[in-house]
């Protein structure tokens, strides 16, 4: 089993694959004033789709959730069927770097905890043409909140996400890509713990015993624990920020 397979086993059947909560999703959605009565929505890197279903509850238009990993698409599909929303919500496997939709296909593009895979600037530049004129882009991004972080924090993020910027840097990128800044806010710490790090810590405890004789598995578990430990001790230096912008 390679590192990616190990990672997927750790994260399978998790409520979320990154920080976020319903309150933050709905707070960002309120910033998207003047959407059509039935907006066309694309959720990029949707994971198991907790936020996808929150959007479906709040809006009346068609919603497409796209993720690269089949297991997350299948989890979202189960939730769609459970909530009886198959007529409006579609779960689809796809690559965020090669989305197959024509220009101006959506009124709202959403992405929570996933744009880092492409990089913030590349993601906004690639996705914004898919918006109809006046459409909104709402994304969360790992962001520096304070300058001069401790060495171990900076090393961790420099290795994991060297493109990470502060809020001002990300706002500059949005504007350089032609976006109008509508608003931004830092996700609360509860958005990290309730549906992400909390369940993840319990999963790590279970896998610690299962992978006791698996060196590769132990290494991946150690990386996950390091990430959680850093946030416990240094969350004032970095966090996830919701950015909402309008294009066209």
């Amino acid at each position: 089993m390679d590192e990616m397979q190990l990672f997927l086993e750790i994260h399978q059947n998790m409520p979320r694959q990154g920080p976020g909560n319903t309150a933050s999703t709905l707070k960002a959605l309120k910033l998207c004033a003047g959407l059509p009565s039935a907006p066309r929505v694309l959720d990029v890197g949707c994971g198991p789709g907790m936020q996808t279903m929150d959007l479906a509850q709040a809006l009346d238009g068609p919603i497409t959730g796209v993720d690269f990993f089949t297991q997350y698409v299948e989890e979202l599909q189960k939730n769609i069927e459970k909530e009886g929303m198959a007529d409006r919500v579609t779960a689809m496997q796809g690559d965020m770097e090669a989305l197959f939709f024509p220009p101006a296909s959506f009124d709202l593009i959403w992405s929570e905890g996933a744009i880092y895979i492409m990089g913030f600037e590349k993601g906004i530049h690639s996705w914004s043409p898919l918006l109809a004129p006046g459409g909104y882009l709402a994304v969360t991004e790992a962001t520096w909140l304070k300058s001069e972080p401790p060495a171990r924090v900076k090393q961790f993020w420099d290795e994991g996400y060297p493109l990470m910027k502060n809020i001002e840097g990300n706002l500059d990128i949005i504007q350089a890509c032609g976006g109008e800044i509508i608003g931004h806010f830092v996700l609360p710490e509860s958005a990290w713990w309730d549906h992400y790090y909390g369940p993840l810590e319990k999963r790590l405890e279970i896998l610690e015993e299962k992978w006791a004789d698996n060196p590769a598995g132990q290494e991946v578990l150690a990386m996950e624990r390091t990430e959680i430990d850093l946030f416990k001790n240094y969350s004032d230096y970095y966090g996830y920020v919701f950015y909402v912008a309008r294009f066209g």
Side-chain angles (χ1 to χ4, degrees):
M1 187 179 293
D2 62 23
E3 184 173 315
M4 180 54 69
Q5 290 174 310
L6 293 167
F7 176 86
L8 290 173
E9 182 169 349
I10 291 173
H11 287 262
Q12 68 181 357
N13 299 317
M14 293 277 288
R16 286 181 177 267
Q17 296 302 320
N21 59 15
T22 297
S24 296
T25 296
L26 298 181
K27 181 177 179 179
L29 183 60
K30 285 183 179 179
L31 295 173
C32 303
L35 284 170
S37 58
R40 301 162 297 168
V41 182
L42 175 66
D43 186 2
V44 184
C46 63
M50 180 176 284
Q51 74 289 334
T52 317
M53 301 308 294
D54 288 338
L55 293 171
Q57 294 286 352
L59 300 170
D60 291 328
I63 299 177
T64 302
V66 176
D67 202 275
F68 184 78
F69 294 106
T70 303
Q71 73 179 43
Y72 300 149
V73 175
E74 291 173 348
E75 289 175 29
L76 174 55
Q77 185 60 45
K78 290 178 183 177
N79 288 328
I80 292 170
E81 294 170 0
K82 178 181 178 181
E83 298 298 327
M85 290 189 173
D87 60 328
R88 283 202 306 113
V89 185
T90 301
M92 185 177 297
Q93 195 277 335
D95 185 348
M96 66 170 64
E97 299 197 49
L99 295 173
F100 38 81
F101 306 103
S105 291
F106 301 98
D107 304 296
L108 174 61
I109 294 179
W110 206 267
S111 185
E112 294 193 28
I115 196 171
Y116 78 93
I117 296 170
M118 287 183 69
F120 192 71
E121 182 172 9
K122 185 177 179 181
I124 291 175
H125 181 76
S126 298
W127 302 345
S128 56
L130 300 179
L131 288 168
Y136 286 91
L137 181 70
V139 302
T140 64
E141 167 73 336
T143 303
W144 291 115
L145 304 178
K146 290 174 63 175
S147 60
E148 300 183 4
R152 66 184 297 232
V153 179
K154 189 174 189 307
Q155 180 181 357
F156 178 86
W157 284 102
D158 281 352
E159 292 176 357
Y161 188 35
L163 297 176
M164 186 166 155
K165 292 179 171 53
N166 59 18
I167 291 174
E168 291 74 19
N170 286 327
L171 295 179
D172 287 344
I173 287 173
I174 292 171
Q175 292 175 319
C177 290
E180 173 193 359
I181 306 297
I182 302 300
H184 66 275
F185 60 89
V186 180
L187 268 63
E189 290 200 12
S190 59
W192 290 72
W193 291 108
D194 293 349
H195 300 296
Y196 185 45
Y197 279 165
L200 182 56
E201 283 188 312
K202 294 178 181 178
R203 177 66 57 78
L204 297 181
E205 291 176 4
I206 294 172
L207 293 176
E208 176 68 38
E209 181 176 352
K210 179 179 178 180
W211 292 351
D213 299 321
N214 183 335
Q218 287 294 324
E219 184 175 345
V220 174
L221 292 175
M223 292 173 57
E224 298 278 354
R225 291 194 203 93
T226 296
E227 180 182 330
I228 294 172
D229 180 64
L230 286 176
F231 188 76
K232 283 181 179 178
N233 291 286
Y234 302 107
S235 60
D236 52 335
Y237 283 93
Y238 66 93
Y240 261 80
V241 176
F242 234 126
Y243 299 92
V244 179
R246 185 164 48 205
F247 288 80

